[in-house]
Amino acid sequence: MMESGVPICNICGEQMGLANTNDEAFVACHECNYPVCKTCLDYEIKEGRNACLRCATPYDENEQESTNHAIVVSHPDTAQDAGVHARTVSTVSTVDSEYHDDTGNPIWKNRVESWKEKKNKKKKNQSKAVVQEAAVVPPEQQMEEKPQLADAAEPLSRIIPVPKSQITPYRIVIIVRLIVLCLFFHYRVTHPVESAYPLWFISVFCEIWFAFSWVLDQFPKWSPINRETYLDRLSARYEREGEPCQLAPVDFFVSTVDPMKEPPLITANTVLSILAVDYPVEKVSCYVSDDGGSMLTFESLAETSEFARKWVPFCKKFSIEPRAPEFYFTQKFDYLKDKVQPSFVKERRAMKREYEEYKVRLNALVAKAQKTPEDGWTMADGTPWPGNNPRDHPGMIQVFLGHSGVHDIEGNELPRLVYVSREKRPGYQHHKKAGAENALIRVSAVLTNAPYILNLDCDHYVNNSKAIREAMCFLMDPQVSRDVCYVQFPQRFDGIDKSDRYANRNIVFFDVNMKGLDGIQGPVYVGTGTVFNRQALYGYSPCNLPTIHKSSSSFSCCCRRKKPAKEKDLTEVYREAKREDLNSAIFNLREIENYDDHERSLLISQMSFEKTFGMSSVFIESTLMENGGVPDSANPSTLIREAIHVIGCGYEEKTAWGKEIGWIYGSVTEDILTGFKMQCRGWRSIYCMPLRPAFKGSAPINLSDRLHQVLRWALGSVEIFLSRHCPLWYGFGGGRLKWLQRLAYTNTIVYPFTSLPLIAYCILPAVCLLTGKFIIPTLSNIASILFLGLFLSIIVTSVLELRWSGIGIEDWWRNEQFWVIGGVSAHLFAVFQGFLKMLAGIDTNFTVTAKAADDGEFADLYLFKWTTVLIPPTTILIVNLVGVVAGFSDALNKGYEAWGPLFGKVFFSFWVILHLYPFLKGLMGRQNRTPTIVVLWSVLLASVFSLVWVKINPFVSKDDPSAMVQNCIDMDC
């Protein structure tokens, strides 16, 4: 309990604490007495904000000096002193190419001891300079600047909760539905169907599993939120006129493998949209990972860098959106809207002509690459292309734009563009995309070392040029960013038909589930469109975790008093922090803040950076720089050599790469695993949904490609389930993952197993129709009420969910349909393939054979590719169709009294057919012709069930003795 009468800090919500000289409450601003505790004041001053948040009055100089003194002497273990630890400031030059000095000690270790003294001295001088500058400003000008300073100190974002009028009924219905489910299962278990006991048992088991899946999916959506950003406040705080831009640098990662499957034109458009982003050019660096070592990708980037000299200034001059030329010139809209410059039309026509010529050059490169020479490719200087063997080649790095001196046609600087192809050698495990991303982390750390990283797939371009600013509203807000590991944007797609037959847009996931997770510990990482905190990728814990104290005396120096009753809680916090959380070799550098410089340097050397990050002193040095950047004295040629070293295929051996730091290995869905590991360490993520979608990509829209995409996702989930990182048992030691968040991650790994009960439940209607049995006994009044209540609660839950999320009924229905389609096909194969791969070491691939498509805007929608994944849903469809025919035939034979029981069975079967209807349309392939393979399968399965039909013989009444005698005569009894 808080002590009465003690003011509460308006920033952190804690008690103000007492001043050093007397027993009065601490006061930060003597002008307006705005309540800010000493700890928060220290942090504000360290960030360069030396004015009151309410009245914008500069803080007193003497108070600043005493505050800085308190930071060093009185509070060496304060948790808010996030800027003072071993990975914040380093004086080691990255041009040192040797790992040790003459005495045999690590270079970076010998220089750690002085970092704290220099840090404090620098901050103190900056504070004095700011105060002195403010003192000489005339009072009139101070009055004018106060509103600007106050506006700059405002939060850069805010949370918009779902209105209570929408969320409260939603929660009530969820609880009511849970109660109804319990009563329903009590009835189902206590009322077995004796005449069809096996069918009853299977149905009850399936229904219990569906209820369990619903709980995992539903309760993480308990507290959905929305967020709003303020880009004008971001500019007012970090882009002030007459001052250097203070926006944080960002490194963009673009990954590609095979230019024949991932067209260079698509990758080039992604790169061009990045180079033209609305962000200071000196703060942007684009790294393209070519994991196939293709000369085509290399040459297409060379052409792209040349075209960027014209495209980038055109976009910025006329505020073009989107800034990917292919999608800008092909979109259907009034391009003259909001354009006021008379030269726009003329320059747009010229730019479109330039782009068409650029496409011709790119297509010529693609045509040339169709036939590889016998001796391999050669470069312009006549030397062989190093990547002629994609599985055995050295590491390659080429800087196209940036410090090479290339400017745009108007003479302005361009962002850096770097081509990277990591080394590949036989006998090494390269870990596909995750390994390529980790190589980019190390390369970028050596060359630019931006504190934030944004990764994009090669087919996802920047659709909103201000997307990076949207993310910075969270990552650069001191009150928000302390424990934020990444900002996730929703995925949006182009080229999908309006009806979205196969739920490619995933609207329910991105607009419902992710909003719910944002209200807990943050959305899951979905693989693209994510801005990372680089320090989180290095395995560090967030700065707001409890600090370990050496003794109780150090705690007594805190700026606010604690009651003795709290000592037990702090002891428990200490024990939790000391647990071997997550079985990780990663350490929290903030845990050693309480030691003096000598003890700190010794402890750091014992932690062995090399065993964690690898044998590169330059890269290790970059990990200690929380704010990023490279020294001005760095030699570019030396950095390039070091960058080549860190992308060697053997660099990660005996290190923590892929285990505890970087993108995590062990699953084809490395995105889910990577985000899960971060949040287990205590980080949280943020979901950002700007009005204009930040990024857009392309999605497979035909049935076969869509199912194989879902198969890959489901296979990754099964791999995580069978690994040590399974959310069911991983990460309990630290207690940093919230329970609802754990439910959400559990749902992401167990959903493929729903395919087994789902297939059984989809076949049950046909079995009931063919056998005349049913899974439910004769309903009583109470049972009828339970069934009616269950159906109503399901409907009301869905309606209220649509209300607060804003999605349409068609999107929700498409999601329900594809949940069944994917469940009985791709998810089933993923379960078997996952067990074969993880337990037996057998890697099974389901190949796809393409057929010709019709011409048209959505020609790919009718493209049919036969694959074994299509067999289970095809079988289920035919079984239910045969069952419906059998059921009606049996009812016609038995008379009027048989139509009542038939209604429930047929309704059950129609539910299955209605959910599989998009699959049936996709199975037809072209609009007016059915593929031969489907006809053959249909005939085969129809023949099998015809034999079953003859065995059942529904036209013969079991109660008619004459019919039985005649049947016996026919069979020669």
Side-chain angles (χ1 to χ4, degrees):
M1 297 295 292
M2 294 291 183
E3 296 181 7
S4 59
V6 179
I8 303 301
C9 175
N10 277 14
I11 295 180
C12 64
E14 299 289 344
Q15 296 182 19
M16 289 290 294
L18 303 178
N20 293 335
T21 57
N22 48 50
D23 294 334
E24 297 179 358
F26 176 79
V27 178
C29 178
H30 296 281
E31 183 72 20
C32 65
N33 292 328
Y34 185 65
V36 177
C37 69
K38 186 180 299 183
T39 305
C40 293
L41 177 62
D42 296 343
Y43 186 87
E44 292 294 313
I45 294 176
K46 284 179 177 295
E47 292 296 319
R49 291 181 289 275
N50 299 280
C52 176
L53 298 178
R54 172 186 289 175
C55 65
T57 301
Y59 294 125
D60 181 71
E61 179 177 356
N62 295 328
E63 185 167 288
Q64 289 187 24
E65 292 181 357
S66 63
T67 300
N68 289 335
H69 178 74
I71 295 173
V72 178
V73 179
S74 300
H75 317 294
D77 55 350
T78 302
Q80 282 76 5
D81 192 8
V84 185
H85 52 77
R87 60 188 172 97
T88 301
V89 176
S90 178
T91 59
V92 182
S93 173
T94 56
V95 299
D96 295 329
S97 58
E98 299 296 332
Y99 298 125
H100 299 84
D101 59 11
D102 297 336
T103 62
N105 295 321
I107 295 175
W108 46 267
K109 169 195 166 186
N110 292 337
R111 305 187 185 180
V112 167
E113 298 182 0
S114 61
W115 63 267
K116 185 175 180 180
E117 180 181 356
K118 293 183 178 180
K119 174 77 173 179
N120 293 331
K121 182 177 179 181
K122 180 179 178 181
K123 289 295 182 180
K124 185 175 181 179
N125 293 338
Q126 290 179 350
S127 300
K128 289 183 178 180
V130 171
V131 173
Q132 291 175 0
E133 182 178 356
V136 299
V137 175
E140 301 82 11
Q141 187 174 349
Q142 290 185 17
M143 294 297 294
E144 295 176 358
E145 290 180 353
K146 280 185 180 182
Q148 298 180 2
L149 293 173
D151 182 66
E154 291 290 328
L156 303 181
S157 64
R158 71 183 181 101
I159 295 176
I160 305 177
V162 176
K164 291 185 178 180
S165 60
Q166 297 178 3
I167 197 63
T168 302
Y170 179 67
R171 293 171 176 171
I172 293 175
V173 172
I174 291 176
I175 299 299
V176 170
R177 182 174 172 180
L178 188 62
I179 296 173
V180 172
L181 271 175
C182 295
L183 298 175
F184 171 79
F185 285 124
H186 178 268
Y187 169 80
R188 292 285 280 134
V189 172
T190 56
H191 292 77
V193 182
E194 300 293 343
S195 60
Y197 194 86
L199 297 181
W200 167 84
F201 179 79
I202 293 174
S203 65
V204 170
F205 175 80
C206 295
E207 290 163 0
I208 292 175
W209 180 268
F210 295 151
F212 170 71
S213 300
W214 172 77
V215 170
L216 293 180
D217 179 70
Q218 189 70 65
F219 278 89
K221 297 182 285 188
W222 185 262
S223 301
I225 62 172
N226 298 295
R227 295 182 185 270
E228 184 179 15
T229 57
Y230 303 103
L231 300 183
D232 53 342
R233 296 179 183 177
L234 180 73
S235 297
R237 181 177 296 186
Y238 296 109
E239 292 184 294
R240 299 175 181 175
E241 294 185 5
E243 298 181 8
C245 177
Q246 297 180 5
L247 290 174
V250 180
D251 287 339
F252 288 77
F253 292 176
V254 179
S255 301
T256 183
V257 180
D258 188 351
M260 295 304 172
K261 296 181 180 179
E262 300 164 336
L265 183 63
I266 300 299
T267 304
N269 271 270
T270 300
V271 172
L272 289 169
S273 67
I274 292 173
L275 298 178
V277 73
D278 183 8
Y279 209 70
V281 293
E282 69 276 7
K283 307 286 186 178
V284 176
S285 299
C286 178
Y287 293 84
V288 179
S289 171
D290 176 19
D291 218 29
S294 172
M295 188 173 177
L296 174 58
T297 303
F298 180 86
E299 291 184 336
S300 65
L301 278 183
E303 290 286 349
T304 302
S305 62
E306 183 63 26
F307 178 71
R309 298 179 60 245
K310 306 171 185 177
W311 174 251
V312 172
F314 171 75
C315 291
K316 295 188 175 181
K317 181 178 180 181
F318 298 107
S319 301
I320 298 300
E321 294 286 0
R323 299 190 176 181
E326 181 70 20
F327 301 96
Y328 170 71
F329 288 121
T330 56
Q331 62 182 346
K332 299 177 181 179
F333 77 112
D334 181 12
Y335 63 84
L336 295 178
K337 185 179 181 180
D338 300 329
K339 304 301 179 186
V340 296
Q341 299 189 36
S343 62
F344 172 68
V345 174
K346 182 179 179 180
E347 293 191 34
R348 184 182 186 276
R349 290 174 180 172
M351 184 54 59
K352 188 174 183 179
R353 184 171 57 253
E354 292 281 354
Y355 178 64
E356 296 296 334
E357 294 175 357
Y358 161 74
K359 287 175 63 176
V360 170
R361 295 193 297 270
L362 227 56
N363 291 333
L365 293 175
V366 174
K368 178 183 176 183
Q370 298 291 333
K371 186 177 180 180
T372 306
E374 295 182 359
D375 299 332
W377 299 104
T378 57
M379 295 186 290
D381 58 358
T383 58
W385 170 248
N388 278 323
N389 187 346
R391 298 182 179 180
D392 187 3
H393 65 81
M396 296 177 284
I397 296 177
Q398 174 66 44
V399 180
F400 285 106
L401 298 175
H403 290 298
S404 59
V406 179
H407 293 75
D408 62 28
I409 57 176
E410 297 182 357
N412 299 319
E413 190 80 20
L414 285 170
R416 187 189 301 254
L417 175 62
V418 183
Y419 169 87
V420 178
S421 182
R422 58 180 173 146
E423 183 184 12
K424 292 286 188 71
R425 299 298 180 193
Y428 287 91
Q429 177 60 262
H430 300 291
H431 303 289
K432 299 182 180 179
K433 179 183 176 181
E437 296 286 355
N438 285 338
L440 287 182
I441 293 178
R442 298 190 292 270
V443 168
S444 62
V446 172
L447 298 181
T448 52
N449 197 31
Y452 301 108
I453 295 172
L454 191 153
N455 81 295
L456 290 173
D457 290 342
C458 63
D459 60 346
H460 278 69
Y461 63 92
V462 181
N463 183 66
N464 184 349
S465 62
K466 298 184 182 295
I468 313 305
R469 297 177 180 271
E470 297 276 354
M472 290 302 131
C473 286
F474 304 105
L475 295 172
M476 296 192 69
D477 190 337
Q479 304 304 323
V480 178
S481 64
R482 297 177 181 178
D483 58 349
V484 175
C485 55
Y486 60 83
V487 175
Q488 178 66 61
F489 291 89
Q491 291 187 20
R492 305 300 187 202
F493 301 98
D494 289 317
I496 299 177
D497 62 307
K498 293 182 179 179
S499 63
D500 193 14
R501 182 186 298 177
Y502 307 122
N504 280 283
R505 294 190 178 93
N506 280 333
I507 293 295
V508 173
F509 175 75
F510 286 112
D511 288 26
V512 179
N513 296 55
M514 297 286 266
K515 286 183 179 179
L517 292 178
D518 199 18
I520 309 172
Q521 201 170 340
V524 298
Y525 169 40
V526 298
T528 184
T530 314
V531 184
F532 284 97
N533 181 341
R534 185 184 286 268
Q535 296 294 315
L537 285 171
Y538 287 158
Y540 293 119
S541 298
C543 296
N544 65 344
L545 286 183
T547 304
I548 291 183
H549 305 277
K550 293 199 301 181
S551 63
S552 58
S553 59
S554 61
F555 171 72
S556 62
C557 297
C558 286
C559 63
R560 55 182 183 271
R561 291 183 176 178
K562 295 286 186 179
K563 291 186 177 182
K566 295 292 183 180
E567 289 291 332
K568 184 177 180 180
D569 296 338
L570 289 173
T571 303
E572 182 63 22
V573 169
Y574 175 84
R575 291 175 180 174
E576 290 182 359
K578 290 296 290 180
R579 291 173 183 167
E580 293 183 359
D581 184 29
L582 319 178
N583 295 322
S584 172
I586 302 303
F587 45 85
N588 183 359
L589 288 179
R590 295 191 62 259
E591 295 177 355
I592 61 175
E593 287 184 8
N594 307 298
Y595 300 90
D596 58 32
D597 293 343
H598 180 67
E599 292 174 325
R600 191 192 316 274
S601 62
L602 293 178
L603 193 55
I604 289 177
S605 64
Q606 294 172 3
M607 289 176 175
S608 185
F609 278 80
E610 290 88 351
K611 291 183 180 180
T612 301
F613 295 111
M615 297 298 295
S616 172
S617 61
V618 177
F619 175 73
I620 290 173
E621 173 60 22
S622 70
T623 66
L624 301 176
M625 304 173 68
E626 186 177 16
N627 297 322
V630 295
D632 296 334
S633 59
N635 187 340
S637 61
T638 304
L639 294 183
I640 290 293
R641 288 197 298 270
E642 193 68 19
I644 291 290
H645 168 63
V646 299
I647 60 173
C649 56
Y651 182 84
E652 295 183 355
E653 288 189 346
K654 298 181 180 179
T655 66
W657 284 102
K659 303 179 183 69
E660 302 297 338
I661 62 177
W663 270 259
I664 306 302
Y665 305 149
S667 171
V668 294
T669 53
E670 71 287 332
D671 46 6
I672 297 292
L673 197 54
T674 302
F676 173 65
K677 292 276 287 188
M678 291 181 182
Q679 294 188 340
C680 281
R681 294 190 183 105
W683 294 95
R684 67 186 179 98
S685 55
I686 284 179
Y687 198 47
C688 182
M689 297 181 64
L691 294 178
R692 180 180 179 85
F695 309 101
K696 279 191 175 182
S698 56
I701 64 173
N702 65 72
L703 176 61
S704 304
D705 288 345
R706 174 65 168 143
L707 288 178
H708 274 268
Q709 181 189 58
V710 174
L711 171 62
R712 184 178 64 84
W713 294 343
L715 177 59
S717 296
V718 175
E719 290 174 342
I720 297 174
F721 176 81
L722 298 175
S723 70
R724 73 182 186 92
H725 293 116
C726 179
L728 291 174
W729 52 72
Y730 182 83
F732 281 97
R736 299 169 184 172
L737 192 68
K738 297 183 179 180
W739 279 102
L740 288 181
Q741 194 80 9
R742 187 175 296 278
L743 281 183
Y745 275 111
T746 303
N747 186 45
T748 62
I749 60 141
V750 302
Y751 78 89
F753 297 96
T754 306
S755 59
L756 300 175
L758 184 60
I759 286 180
Y761 214 70
C762 288
I763 294 178
L764 279 177
V767 175
C768 292
L769 288 168
L770 291 172
T771 59
K773 308 295 183 181
F774 202 39
I775 59 177
I776 299 175
T778 303
L779 296 180
S780 62
N781 292 334
I782 297 178
S784 301
I785 294 174
L786 286 177
F787 276 90
L788 181 61
L790 181 60
F791 282 115
L792 287 178
S793 64
I794 293 174
I795 295 173
V796 174
T797 304
S798 302
V799 170
L800 293 176
E801 196 168 275
L802 296 178
R803 184 186 177 196
W804 67 254
S805 65
I807 66 174
I809 184 66
E810 183 179 9
D811 294 318
W812 175 85
W813 175 238
R814 290 301 186 199
N815 180 78
E816 293 295 311
Q817 286 180 315
F818 201 79
W819 175 75
V820 176
I821 295 172
V824 300
S825 56
H827 297 172
L828 176 67
F829 279 81
V831 172
F832 285 106
Q833 186 177 0
F835 275 97
L836 287 175
K837 182 177 179 181
M838 301 299 292
L839 301 181
I842 302 174
D843 194 359
T844 306
N845 293 319
F846 304 100
T847 58
V848 178
T849 303
K851 303 292 182 181
D854 292 330
D855 295 331
E857 183 179 1
F858 299 108
D860 286 344
L861 183 65
Y862 311 109
L863 184 68
F864 182 82
K865 302 176 182 180
W866 173 249
T867 171
T868 50
V869 178
L870 302 177
I871 296 176
T874 305
T875 305
I876 292 174
L877 267 174
I878 295 179
V879 168
N880 278 276
L881 291 174
V882 171
V884 171
V885 175
F888 277 103
S889 301
D890 188 52
L892 289 172
N893 181 60
K894 289 184 176 180
Y896 178 78
E897 66 278 359
W899 288 93
L902 177 67
F903 175 77
K905 302 173 186 177
V906 171
F907 174 80
F908 197 11
S909 189
F910 272 138
W911 177 91
V912 177
I913 296 173
L914 192 62
H915 277 77
L916 291 177
Y917 177 70
F919 173 83
L920 181 61
K921 291 187 67 176
L923 201 64
M924 303 305 294
R926 299 190 179 189
Q927 292 173 301
N928 52 10
R929 188 172 66 185
T930 304
T932 306
I933 190 68
V934 177
V935 176
L936 293 177
W937 264 102
S938 301
V939 172
L940 176 62
L941 293 174
S943 301
V944 173
F945 286 104
S946 295
L947 296 176
V948 177
W949 176 270
V950 172
K951 179 67 177 176
I952 297 173
N953 198 4
F955 291 101
V956 177
S957 175
K958 306 300 185 296
D959 301 328
D960 188 356
S962 61
M964 294 293 293
V965 172
Q966 181 63 38
N967 189 31
C968 187
I969 294 175
D970 293 341
M971 297 175 62
D972 294 331
C973 295

